[in-house]
Amino acid sequence: MPDTTGFDRNPLPERFCNLERLWQALEARGLDGIVATQPNNVFYLTGFNPIAHKSDEPRPYAVILSRHAPDHPVLVVADYYLASFLGQPSWVEDIRPYRAVMMPLDLPAKRTDIDRFIPAHGRGVEWIERARASYGFGMADLVRKSIGDLGLAGRRIAFDDVGYGLRLGLDGVQVADGYDPMMFARAVKTPAEIALLERSTALNEAAIRRTVAAWAPGATWRDLNRAYAVAVSELGGFVHDPGGMVWGHPRGADAALMLQTGLETHEVTEGCHVMFDCHGTIDQYCWDGGKTWVVGGEPGVQARKFADATAAVATDLLDAMRPGARVSELQARARSVYRRAGAPDPEAAVIFFHGLGLSHMDLEQTTADGKPNADWTLEAGMVVPFHLLYPGGEHERMWLEEVVHVGPDGGRPLFSWGFDPLTG
């Protein structure tokens, strides 16, 4: 059996979110509180990582926070999820379950229905008993009551799902969009989040190495995608339909930029440059990136020039990725390094950046003063992948994506394997 002990899943800290940043975001926007129902945000704020629900289903949970009562968040959850908090504790102590879809409609609702979902080892636990006492018969009613209990009635409240906020029909409440306040909070990582991203990156690196080792002549792109997914699963991570490998790989001298569809069946031939840009999660935290693998050999003379130039750009970017640096400045600087390194067409290089955490963005789209945040600024504590693609045919293209933890003295790479391409 493969060794996966380095990626074992264990209970997370009771609180790992950057709560101070959230209060800052709410205050800057004149918001009194926030109601989160989107799964990533609920997980971020509470540690609650429920099983079974798909992306387009109504969320059977909501967390309500008031910046005027910062130590008293409320979490409303379906009754069948209550016992989850016995395994993954949360800093939220006021958990309010409601009678949900598992309970029959042909029988009268009873306050004792909640007891079906409390295991023996949960009986008598203080917070469980409080949850029993607050048991309700509908999510919306409990959310409305929680809003009132936190003093948010008649206030300005952000919702990460504005439609949900409007459907609640709250008299006197001004419903605001909560997307950007949440992204502002999530942009700068806590130490616990950095550890989670280090682990997810390490899992990706291990899975890529296993995928390279699994290749044999005659293997197709579909085989390679499957080998990556199997490696991730064996290590304890998750990839998502239609697959974990992002870049497409045009054949011959075609230098077009393409993404995979999962339908590619042609052969991965010796000498081809595979651009590993891989996505997946563990404990909901994303991994991203990878680099070029020269299948079964070493880069050719021209490809080696591209590889050396790309490594020089990466080395320089690590020094440049400091708090206060703007993305456009980093792109211009990277292109100038390509030029000095002798790349024949530095304008053709693709250089881009994004945040990373519970998503591949984790950045506000509009700042508190209403301005677009396209040319955003790095801050200490951000995790920002840089992407370097020097395009070319299947034996020349060179790709490198590094995941970088931004600090006061520059960036720290989370991959352990350096900037040279994988070979052999």
Side-chain angles (χ1 to χ4, degrees):
M1 293 292 292
D3 180 14
T4 64
T5 54
F7 306 104
D8 286 344
R9 301 179 71 192
N10 296 295
L12 299 172
E14 290 188 2
R15 193 188 110 190
F16 50 86
C17 61
N18 197 334
L19 201 58
E20 291 71 22
R21 291 264 301 187
L22 180 60
W23 303 139
Q24 181 184 344
L26 294 178
E27 184 175 10
R29 291 166 171 80
L31 297 165
D32 296 290
I34 189 164
V35 177
T37 56
Q38 297 298 323
N40 278 352
N41 290 332
V42 172
F43 172 68
Y44 177 75
L45 293 170
T46 70
F48 177 46
N49 189 12
I51 200 164
H53 282 89
K54 301 298 187 288
S55 61
D56 63 343
E57 297 176 22
R59 299 298 103 186
Y61 40 74
V63 58
I64 305 100
L65 298 96
S66 168
R67 67 182 179 90
H68 309 297
D71 297 324
H72 187 186
V74 175
L75 178 59
V76 174
V77 294
D79 45 14
Y80 50 83
Y81 280 137
L82 182 62
S84 300
F85 296 93
L86 291 168
Q88 172 55 63
S90 173
W91 72 287
V92 180
E93 298 179 350
D94 190 346
I95 301 174
R96 305 182 182 186
Y98 66 92
R99 192 176 192 267
V101 67
M102 289 188 186
M103 290 293 92
L105 297 175
D106 61 326
L107 297 175
K110 305 189 298 291
R111 295 191 62 79
T112 55
D113 287 341
I114 186 60
D115 294 337
R116 298 180 183 226
F117 300 103
I118 300 176
H121 68 283
R123 295 170 192 160
V125 174
E126 184 178 352
W127 68 264
I128 287 277
E129 294 306 313
R130 288 198 303 271
R132 289 182 74 250
S134 68
Y135 189 51
F137 296 146
M139 177 177 168
D141 288 341
L142 274 186
V143 171
R144 292 188 194 100
K145 183 178 186 307
S146 300
I147 286 172
D149 290 347
L150 293 179
L152 292 173
R155 302 275 195 142
R156 189 164 186 256
I157 306 174
F159 288 80
D160 66 350
D161 178 353
V162 172
Y164 178 74
L166 294 174
R167 289 191 298 273
L168 284 175
L170 298 165
D171 291 337
V173 166
Q174 184 179 351
V175 174
D177 188 355
Y179 178 87
D180 285 319
M182 285 303 312
M183 290 300 107
F184 180 84
R186 284 167 45 179
V188 172
K189 286 10 182 199
T190 63
E193 291 184 280
I194 295 299
L196 290 167
L197 286 163
E198 288 172 339
R199 182 175 65 145
S200 65
T201 302
L203 192 153
N204 183 30
E205 182 174 332
I208 290 173
R209 290 190 183 277
R210 289 189 182 198
T211 305
V212 168
W215 175 83
T220 66
W221 286 103
R222 182 170 291 174
D223 295 331
L224 204 66
N225 273 285
R226 187 179 294 117
Y228 179 77
V230 167
V232 165
S233 181
E234 288 178 343
L235 290 165
F238 300 86
V239 298
H240 307 285
D241 191 2
M245 295 176 61
V246 175
W247 279 117
H249 292 80
R251 306 173 76 176
D254 191 346
L257 306 181
M258 296 179 60
L259 303 184
Q260 288 208 48
T261 64
L263 303 175
E264 293 80 3
T265 59
H266 56 278
E267 186 178 347
V268 182
T269 55
E270 189 166 346
C272 178
H273 286 205
V274 172
M275 300 184 293
F276 278 112
D277 178 7
C278 301
H279 291 186
T281 61
I282 182 170
D283 277 325
Q284 296 286 29
Y285 275 81
C286 299
W287 65 73
D288 195 359
K291 58 180 177 177
T292 303
W293 166 42
V294 182
V295 179
E298 298 282 340
V301 174
Q302 184 76 338
R304 171 48 66 186
K305 291 180 181 178
F306 298 165
D308 291 346
T310 299
V313 172
T315 301
D316 185 75
L317 278 176
L318 286 183
D319 182 64
M321 291 178 70
R322 300 168 183 258
R326 285 196 174 276
V327 167
S328 59
E329 297 167 348
L330 294 172
Q331 290 173 326
R333 177 165 173 162
R335 210 172 302 283
S336 69
V337 176
Y338 265 120
R339 188 173 293 110
R340 291 197 305 270
D345 187 6
E347 301 301 317
V350 176
I351 305 157
F352 64 100
F353 305 79
H354 59 71
L356 188 69
L358 290 169
S359 75
H360 291 257
M361 184 56 67
D362 272 17
L363 292 165
E364 57 184 344
Q365 298 299 288
T366 304
T367 61
D369 58 5
K371 296 179 180 178
N373 195 34
D375 190 9
W376 46 279
T377 301
L378 271 59
E379 296 184 58
M382 283 183 167
V383 173
V384 178
F386 66 65
H387 309 68
L388 305 174
L389 173 54
Y390 198 86
E394 64 179 344
H395 295 155
E396 294 181 339
R397 58 196 174 213
M398 196 56 58
W399 162 256
L400 174 63
E401 181 179 352
E402 180 60 76
V403 180
V404 179
H405 177 204
V406 178
D409 299 319
R412 176 176 66 91
L414 299 194
F415 281 113
S416 72
W417 53 17
F419 299 147
D420 286 333
L422 298 169
T423 58

PDB file of all heavy atoms in Angstrom, residues 286-318:
ATOM      1  N   CYS A 286      -7.130  24.484  -1.604  1.00  0.00           N
ATOM      2  CA  CYS A 286      -6.731  24.149  -2.972  1.00  0.00           C
ATOM      3  C   CYS A 286      -5.221  23.968  -3.091  1.00  0.00           C
ATOM      4  O   CYS A 286      -4.453  24.623  -2.402  1.00  0.00           O
ATOM      5  CB  CYS A 286      -7.139  25.269  -3.924  1.00  0.00           C
ATOM      6  SG  CYS A 286      -8.906  25.579  -4.001  1.00  0.00           S
ATOM      7  N   TRP A 287      -4.848  23.123  -4.001  1.00  0.00           N
ATOM      8  CA  TRP A 287      -3.489  23.184  -4.529  1.00  0.00           C
ATOM      9  C   TRP A 287      -3.567  23.665  -5.971  1.00  0.00           C
ATOM     10  O   TRP A 287      -4.614  23.655  -6.591  1.00  0.00           O
ATOM     11  CB  TRP A 287      -2.756  21.843  -4.443  1.00  0.00           C
ATOM     12  CG  TRP A 287      -3.306  20.716  -5.261  1.00  0.00           C
ATOM     13  CD1 TRP A 287      -3.241  20.549  -6.608  1.00  0.00           C
ATOM     14  CD2 TRP A 287      -3.994  19.559  -4.750  1.00  0.00           C
ATOM     15  NE1 TRP A 287      -3.830  19.375  -6.984  1.00  0.00           N
ATOM     16  CE2 TRP A 287      -4.297  18.733  -5.868  1.00  0.00           C
ATOM     17  CE3 TRP A 287      -4.350  19.110  -3.477  1.00  0.00           C
ATOM     18  CZ2 TRP A 287      -4.967  17.519  -5.736  1.00  0.00           C
ATOM     19  CZ3 TRP A 287      -5.007  17.906  -3.347  1.00  0.00           C
ATOM     20  CH2 TRP A 287      -5.314  17.128  -4.461  1.00  0.00           C
ATOM     21  N   ASP A 288      -2.435  24.079  -6.466  1.00  0.00           N
ATOM     22  CA  ASP A 288      -2.369  24.589  -7.833  1.00  0.00           C
ATOM     23  C   ASP A 288      -0.944  24.402  -8.313  1.00  0.00           C
ATOM     24  O   ASP A 288       0.008  24.355  -7.522  1.00  0.00           O
ATOM     25  CB  ASP A 288      -2.761  26.068  -7.875  1.00  0.00           C
ATOM     26  CG  ASP A 288      -3.075  26.565  -9.286  1.00  0.00           C
ATOM     27  OD1 ASP A 288      -2.963  25.762 -10.237  1.00  0.00           O
ATOM     28  OD2 ASP A 288      -3.416  27.743  -9.434  1.00  0.00           O
ATOM     29  N   GLY A 289      -0.807  24.286  -9.636  1.00  0.00           N
ATOM     30  CA  GLY A 289       0.516  24.394 -10.220  1.00  0.00           C
ATOM     31  C   GLY A 289       1.244  23.095 -10.482  1.00  0.00           C
ATOM     32  O   GLY A 289       0.722  21.999 -10.401  1.00  0.00           O
ATOM     33  N   GLY A 290       2.504  23.300 -10.780  1.00  0.00           N
ATOM     34  CA  GLY A 290       3.406  22.245 -11.197  1.00  0.00           C
ATOM     35  C   GLY A 290       4.442  22.846 -12.133  1.00  0.00           C
ATOM     36  O   GLY A 290       4.725  24.045 -12.073  1.00  0.00           O
ATOM     37  N   LYS A 291       4.981  22.029 -13.001  1.00  0.00           N
ATOM     38  CA  LYS A 291       5.965  22.538 -13.952  1.00  0.00           C
ATOM     39  C   LYS A 291       6.076  21.600 -15.135  1.00  0.00           C
ATOM     40  O   LYS A 291       5.291  20.646 -15.276  1.00  0.00           O
ATOM     41  CB  LYS A 291       7.311  22.750 -13.275  1.00  0.00           C
ATOM     42  CG  LYS A 291       7.937  21.528 -12.614  1.00  0.00           C
ATOM     43  CD  LYS A 291       9.270  21.944 -12.000  1.00  0.00           C
ATOM     44  CE  LYS A 291       9.933  20.810 -11.248  1.00  0.00           C
ATOM     45  NZ  LYS A 291      11.244  21.217 -10.718  1.00  0.00           N
ATOM     46  N   THR A 292       7.048  21.861 -15.995  1.00  0.00           N
ATOM     47  CA  THR A 292       7.208  21.094 -17.225  1.00  0.00           C
ATOM     48  C   THR A 292       7.917  19.777 -16.954  1.00  0.00           C
ATOM     49  O   THR A 292       8.887  19.719 -16.193  1.00  0.00           O
ATOM     50  CB  THR A 292       8.016  21.900 -18.245  1.00  0.00           C
ATOM     51  OG1 THR A 292       7.357  23.148 -18.470  1.00  0.00           O
ATOM     52  CG2 THR A 292       8.157  21.149 -19.562  1.00  0.00           C
ATOM     53  N   TRP A 293       7.418  18.719 -17.602  1.00  0.00           N
ATOM     54  CA  TRP A 293       8.093  17.416 -17.602  1.00  0.00           C
ATOM     55  C   TRP A 293       8.456  17.085 -19.043  1.00  0.00           C
ATOM     56  O   TRP A 293       7.614  17.070 -19.931  1.00  0.00           O
ATOM     57  CB  TRP A 293       7.162  16.357 -17.028  1.00  0.00           C
ATOM     58  CG  TRP A 293       7.593  14.935 -17.268  1.00  0.00           C
ATOM     59  CD1 TRP A 293       8.857  14.424 -17.167  1.00  0.00           C
ATOM     60  CD2 TRP A 293       6.743  13.850 -17.649  1.00  0.00           C
ATOM     61  NE1 TRP A 293       8.853  13.076 -17.458  1.00  0.00           N
ATOM     62  CE2 TRP A 293       7.568  12.689 -17.749  1.00  0.00           C
ATOM     63  CE3 TRP A 293       5.386  13.729 -17.898  1.00  0.00           C
ATOM     64  CZ2 TRP A 293       7.050  11.446 -18.097  1.00  0.00           C
ATOM     65  CZ3 TRP A 293       4.864  12.481 -18.226  1.00  0.00           C
ATOM     66  CH2 TRP A 293       5.703  11.360 -18.332  1.00  0.00           C
ATOM     67  N   VAL A 294       9.745  16.832 -19.268  1.00  0.00           N
ATOM     68  CA  VAL A 294      10.216  16.390 -20.574  1.00  0.00           C
ATOM     69  C   VAL A 294      10.148  14.871 -20.589  1.00  0.00           C
ATOM     70  O   VAL A 294      10.936  14.188 -19.923  1.00  0.00           O
ATOM     71  CB  VAL A 294      11.646  16.883 -20.860  1.00  0.00           C
ATOM     72  CG1 VAL A 294      12.087  16.443 -22.251  1.00  0.00           C
ATOM     73  CG2 VAL A 294      11.728  18.395 -20.716  1.00  0.00           C
ATOM     74  N   VAL A 295       9.182  14.332 -21.318  1.00  0.00           N
ATOM     75  CA  VAL A 295       8.871  12.914 -21.243  1.00  0.00           C
ATOM     76  C   VAL A 295      10.043  12.073 -21.726  1.00  0.00           C
ATOM     77  O   VAL A 295      10.499  12.192 -22.869  1.00  0.00           O
ATOM     78  CB  VAL A 295       7.613  12.595 -22.079  1.00  0.00           C
ATOM     79  CG1 VAL A 295       7.295  11.103 -22.010  1.00  0.00           C
ATOM     80  CG2 VAL A 295       6.432  13.417 -21.588  1.00  0.00           C
ATOM     81  N   GLY A 296      10.579  11.278 -20.841  1.00  0.00           N
ATOM     82  CA  GLY A 296      11.585  10.283 -21.200  1.00  0.00           C
ATOM     83  C   GLY A 296      12.949  10.824 -21.564  1.00  0.00           C
ATOM     84  O   GLY A 296      13.783  10.087 -22.085  1.00  0.00           O
ATOM     85  N   GLY A 297      13.233  12.124 -21.337  1.00  0.00           N
ATOM     86  CA  GLY A 297      14.536  12.632 -21.737  1.00  0.00           C
ATOM     87  C   GLY A 297      14.841  13.991 -21.148  1.00  0.00           C
ATOM     88  O   GLY A 297      14.345  14.362 -20.084  1.00  0.00           O
ATOM     89  N   GLU A 298      15.663  14.758 -21.861  1.00  0.00           N
ATOM     90  CA  GLU A 298      16.130  16.077 -21.434  1.00  0.00           C
ATOM     91  C   GLU A 298      15.670  17.128 -22.448  1.00  0.00           C
ATOM     92  O   GLU A 298      15.396  16.806 -23.610  1.00  0.00           O
ATOM     93  CB  GLU A 298      17.664  16.096 -21.366  1.00  0.00           C
ATOM     94  CG  GLU A 298      18.265  15.128 -20.357  1.00  0.00           C
ATOM     95  CD  GLU A 298      18.167  15.643 -18.938  1.00  0.00           C
ATOM     96  OE1 GLU A 298      17.990  16.868 -18.764  1.00  0.00           O
ATOM     97  OE2 GLU A 298      18.267  14.823 -18.002  1.00  0.00           O
ATOM     98  N   PRO A 299      15.586  18.391 -22.054  1.00  0.00           N
ATOM     99  CA  PRO A 299      15.215  19.434 -23.015  1.00  0.00           C
ATOM    100  C   PRO A 299      16.240  19.543 -24.143  1.00  0.00           C
ATOM    101  O   PRO A 299      17.445  19.343 -23.930  1.00  0.00           O
ATOM    102  CB  PRO A 299      15.210  20.713 -22.163  1.00  0.00           C
ATOM    103  CG  PRO A 299      15.168  20.269 -20.742  1.00  0.00           C
ATOM    104  CD  PRO A 299      15.829  18.930 -20.692  1.00  0.00           C
ATOM    105  N   GLY A 300      15.760  19.884 -25.340  1.00  0.00           N
ATOM    106  CA  GLY A 300      16.667  20.163 -26.437  1.00  0.00           C
ATOM    107  C   GLY A 300      17.363  21.503 -26.245  1.00  0.00           C
ATOM    108  O   GLY A 300      17.125  22.219 -25.266  1.00  0.00           O
ATOM    109  N   VAL A 301      18.227  21.851 -27.188  1.00  0.00           N
ATOM    110  CA  VAL A 301      19.044  23.062 -27.049  1.00  0.00           C
ATOM    111  C   VAL A 301      18.162  24.300 -26.913  1.00  0.00           C
ATOM    112  O   VAL A 301      18.348  25.124 -26.005  1.00  0.00           O
ATOM    113  CB  VAL A 301      19.991  23.205 -28.263  1.00  0.00           C
ATOM    114  CG1 VAL A 301      20.731  24.528 -28.200  1.00  0.00           C
ATOM    115  CG2 VAL A 301      20.973  22.042 -28.295  1.00  0.00           C
ATOM    116  N   GLN A 302      17.182  24.468 -27.809  1.00  0.00           N
ATOM    117  CA  GLN A 302      16.312  25.642 -27.749  1.00  0.00           C
ATOM    118  C   GLN A 302      15.446  25.610 -26.492  1.00  0.00           C
ATOM    119  O   GLN A 302      15.259  26.622 -25.815  1.00  0.00           O
ATOM    120  CB  GLN A 302      15.428  25.714 -28.993  1.00  0.00           C
ATOM    121  CG  GLN A 302      14.555  26.956 -29.084  1.00  0.00           C
ATOM    122  CD  GLN A 302      15.332  28.198 -29.498  1.00  0.00           C
ATOM    123  OE1 GLN A 302      16.546  28.267 -29.338  1.00  0.00           O
ATOM    124  NE2 GLN A 302      14.637  29.188 -30.035  1.00  0.00           N
ATOM    125  N   ALA A 303      14.926  24.436 -26.153  1.00  0.00           N
ATOM    126  CA  ALA A 303      14.076  24.312 -24.972  1.00  0.00           C
ATOM    127  C   ALA A 303      14.860  24.610 -23.701  1.00  0.00           C
ATOM    128  O   ALA A 303      14.319  25.186 -22.745  1.00  0.00           O
ATOM    129  CB  ALA A 303      13.471  22.918 -24.908  1.00  0.00           C
ATOM    130  N   ARG A 304      16.139  24.251 -23.682  1.00  0.00           N
ATOM    131  CA  ARG A 304      16.969  24.537 -22.510  1.00  0.00           C
ATOM    132  C   ARG A 304      17.116  26.046 -22.315  1.00  0.00           C
ATOM    133  O   ARG A 304      17.095  26.538 -21.186  1.00  0.00           O
ATOM    134  CB  ARG A 304      18.330  23.863 -22.667  1.00  0.00           C
ATOM    135  CG  ARG A 304      19.377  24.233 -21.634  1.00  0.00           C
ATOM    136  CD  ARG A 304      18.875  24.170 -20.204  1.00  0.00           C
ATOM    137  NE  ARG A 304      18.548  22.828 -19.775  1.00  0.00           N
ATOM    138  CZ  ARG A 304      17.983  22.547 -18.596  1.00  0.00           C
ATOM    139  NH1 ARG A 304      17.654  23.549 -17.765  1.00  0.00           N
ATOM    140  NH2 ARG A 304      17.715  21.313 -18.266  1.00  0.00           N
ATOM    141  N   LYS A 305      17.207  26.797 -23.396  1.00  0.00           N
ATOM    142  CA  LYS A 305      17.270  28.257 -23.276  1.00  0.00           C
ATOM    143  C   LYS A 305      15.987  28.792 -22.644  1.00  0.00           C
ATOM    144  O   LYS A 305      16.015  29.664 -21.774  1.00  0.00           O
ATOM    145  CB  LYS A 305      17.476  28.892 -24.652  1.00  0.00           C
ATOM    146  CG  LYS A 305      18.841  28.626 -25.261  1.00  0.00           C
ATOM    147  CD  LYS A 305      18.951  29.290 -26.635  1.00  0.00           C
ATOM    148  CE  LYS A 305      20.313  29.009 -27.273  1.00  0.00           C
ATOM    149  NZ  LYS A 305      20.398  29.624 -28.630  1.00  0.00           N
ATOM    150  N   PHE A 306      14.848  28.246 -23.086  1.00  0.00           N
ATOM    151  CA  PHE A 306      13.575  28.683 -22.518  1.00  0.00           C
ATOM    152  C   PHE A 306      13.480  28.292 -21.047  1.00  0.00           C
ATOM    153  O   PHE A 306      12.967  29.058 -20.227  1.00  0.00           O
ATOM    154  CB  PHE A 306      12.405  28.070 -23.299  1.00  0.00           C
ATOM    155  CG  PHE A 306      12.328  28.478 -24.742  1.00  0.00           C
ATOM    156  CD1 PHE A 306      11.531  27.779 -25.618  1.00  0.00           C
ATOM    157  CD2 PHE A 306      13.051  29.567 -25.231  1.00  0.00           C
ATOM    158  CE1 PHE A 306      11.427  28.147 -26.956  1.00  0.00           C
ATOM    159  CE2 PHE A 306      12.965  29.952 -26.566  1.00  0.00           C
ATOM    160  CZ  PHE A 306      12.159  29.227 -27.433  1.00  0.00           C
ATOM    161  N   ALA A 307      13.965  27.104 -20.716  1.00  0.00           N
ATOM    162  CA  ALA A 307      13.919  26.639 -19.328  1.00  0.00           C
ATOM    163  C   ALA A 307      14.785  27.508 -18.435  1.00  0.00           C
ATOM    164  O   ALA A 307      14.377  27.892 -17.326  1.00  0.00           O
ATOM    165  CB  ALA A 307      14.365  25.181 -19.248  1.00  0.00           C
ATOM    166  N   ASP A 308      15.989  27.829 -18.894  1.00  0.00           N
ATOM    167  CA  ASP A 308      16.895  28.656 -18.092  1.00  0.00           C
ATOM    168  C   ASP A 308      16.337  30.066 -17.913  1.00  0.00           C
ATOM    169  O   ASP A 308      16.438  30.650 -16.824  1.00  0.00           O
ATOM    170  CB  ASP A 308      18.278  28.713 -18.752  1.00  0.00           C
ATOM    171  CG  ASP A 308      19.014  27.383 -18.694  1.00  0.00           C
ATOM    172  OD1 ASP A 308      18.579  26.503 -17.918  1.00  0.00           O
ATOM    173  OD2 ASP A 308      20.007  27.220 -19.430  1.00  0.00           O
ATOM    174  N   ALA A 309      15.750  30.611 -18.983  1.00  0.00           N
ATOM    175  CA  ALA A 309      15.161  31.946 -18.874  1.00  0.00           C
ATOM    176  C   ALA A 309      13.989  31.942 -17.900  1.00  0.00           C
ATOM    177  O   ALA A 309      13.826  32.863 -17.079  1.00  0.00           O
ATOM    178  CB  ALA A 309      14.708  32.423 -20.252  1.00  0.00           C
ATOM    179  N   THR A 310      13.161  30.897 -17.949  1.00  0.00           N
ATOM    180  CA  THR A 310      12.013  30.805 -17.052  1.00  0.00           C
ATOM    181  C   THR A 310      12.464  30.667 -15.605  1.00  0.00           C
ATOM    182  O   THR A 310      11.896  31.282 -14.692  1.00  0.00           O
ATOM    183  CB  THR A 310      11.115  29.623 -17.462  1.00  0.00           C
ATOM    184  OG1 THR A 310      10.641  29.834 -18.800  1.00  0.00           O
ATOM    185  CG2 THR A 310       9.935  29.468 -16.521  1.00  0.00           C
ATOM    186  N   ALA A 311      13.506  29.892 -15.354  1.00  0.00           N
ATOM    187  CA  ALA A 311      14.036  29.753 -13.999  1.00  0.00           C
ATOM    188  C   ALA A 311      14.597  31.080 -13.486  1.00  0.00           C
ATOM    189  O   ALA A 311      14.443  31.414 -12.298  1.00  0.00           O
ATOM    190  CB  ALA A 311      15.116  28.668 -13.965  1.00  0.00           C
ATOM    191  N   ALA A 312      15.226  31.846 -14.370  1.00  0.00           N
ATOM    192  CA  ALA A 312      15.755  33.147 -13.971  1.00  0.00           C
ATOM    193  C   ALA A 312      14.621  34.098 -13.594  1.00  0.00           C
ATOM    194  O   ALA A 312      14.716  34.852 -12.610  1.00  0.00           O
ATOM    195  CB  ALA A 312      16.593  33.748 -15.100  1.00  0.00           C
ATOM    196  N   VAL A 313      13.531  34.055 -14.353  1.00  0.00           N
ATOM    197  CA  VAL A 313      12.375  34.889 -14.036  1.00  0.00           C
ATOM    198  C   VAL A 313      11.797  34.491 -12.686  1.00  0.00           C
ATOM    199  O   VAL A 313      11.482  35.341 -11.841  1.00  0.00           O
ATOM    200  CB  VAL A 313      11.304  34.773 -15.139  1.00  0.00           C
ATOM    201  CG1 VAL A 313      10.024  35.493 -14.713  1.00  0.00           C
ATOM    202  CG2 VAL A 313      11.818  35.338 -16.447  1.00  0.00           C
ATOM    203  N   ALA A 314      11.659  33.188 -12.446  1.00  0.00           N
ATOM    204  CA  ALA A 314      11.095  32.709 -11.184  1.00  0.00           C
ATOM    205  C   ALA A 314      11.945  33.145  -9.997  1.00  0.00           C
ATOM    206  O   ALA A 314      11.421  33.588  -8.963  1.00  0.00           O
ATOM    207  CB  ALA A 314      10.965  31.192 -11.225  1.00  0.00           C
ATOM    208  N   THR A 315      13.253  33.021 -10.131  1.00  0.00           N
ATOM    209  CA  THR A 315      14.152  33.424  -9.048  1.00  0.00           C
ATOM    210  C   THR A 315      14.006  34.904  -8.741  1.00  0.00           C
ATOM    211  O   THR A 315      13.958  35.314  -7.569  1.00  0.00           O
ATOM    212  CB  THR A 315      15.603  33.095  -9.426  1.00  0.00           C
ATOM    213  OG1 THR A 315      15.718  31.690  -9.672  1.00  0.00           O
ATOM    214  CG2 THR A 315      16.559  33.492  -8.319  1.00  0.00           C
ATOM    215  N   ASP A 316      13.908  35.710  -9.773  1.00  0.00           N
ATOM    216  CA  ASP A 316      13.766  37.146  -9.578  1.00  0.00           C
ATOM    217  C   ASP A 316      12.410  37.490  -8.956  1.00  0.00           C
ATOM    218  O   ASP A 316      12.314  38.370  -8.094  1.00  0.00           O
ATOM    219  CB  ASP A 316      13.922  37.868 -10.906  1.00  0.00           C
ATOM    220  CG  ASP A 316      13.901  39.380 -10.752  1.00  0.00           C
ATOM    221  OD1 ASP A 316      14.910  39.941 -10.280  1.00  0.00           O
ATOM    222  OD2 ASP A 316      12.865  39.990 -11.063  1.00  0.00           O
ATOM    223  N   LEU A 317      11.361  36.778  -9.377  1.00  0.00           N
ATOM    224  CA  LEU A 317      10.035  37.066  -8.845  1.00  0.00           C
ATOM    225  C   LEU A 317       9.946  36.792  -7.346  1.00  0.00           C
ATOM    226  O   LEU A 317       9.258  37.508  -6.618  1.00  0.00           O
ATOM    227  CB  LEU A 317       8.973  36.252  -9.581  1.00  0.00           C
ATOM    228  CG  LEU A 317       8.491  36.817 -10.911  1.00  0.00           C
ATOM    229  CD1 LEU A 317       7.511  35.859 -11.575  1.00  0.00           C
ATOM    230  CD2 LEU A 317       7.831  38.186 -10.719  1.00  0.00           C
ATOM    231  N   LEU A 318      10.627  35.758  -6.892  1.00  0.00           N
ATOM    232  CA  LEU A 318      10.594  35.477  -5.456  1.00  0.00           C
ATOM    233  C   LEU A 318      11.085  36.683  -4.656  1.00  0.00           C
ATOM    234  O   LEU A 318      10.538  37.008  -3.599  1.00  0.00           O
ATOM    235  CB  LEU A 318      11.438  34.249  -5.116  1.00  0.00           C
ATOM    236  CG  LEU A 318      10.858  32.886  -5.503  1.00  0.00           C
ATOM    237  CD1 LEU A 318      11.788  31.779  -5.019  1.00  0.00           C
ATOM    238  CD2 LEU A 318       9.463  32.692  -4.925  1.00  0.00           C
TER     239      LEU A 318
END
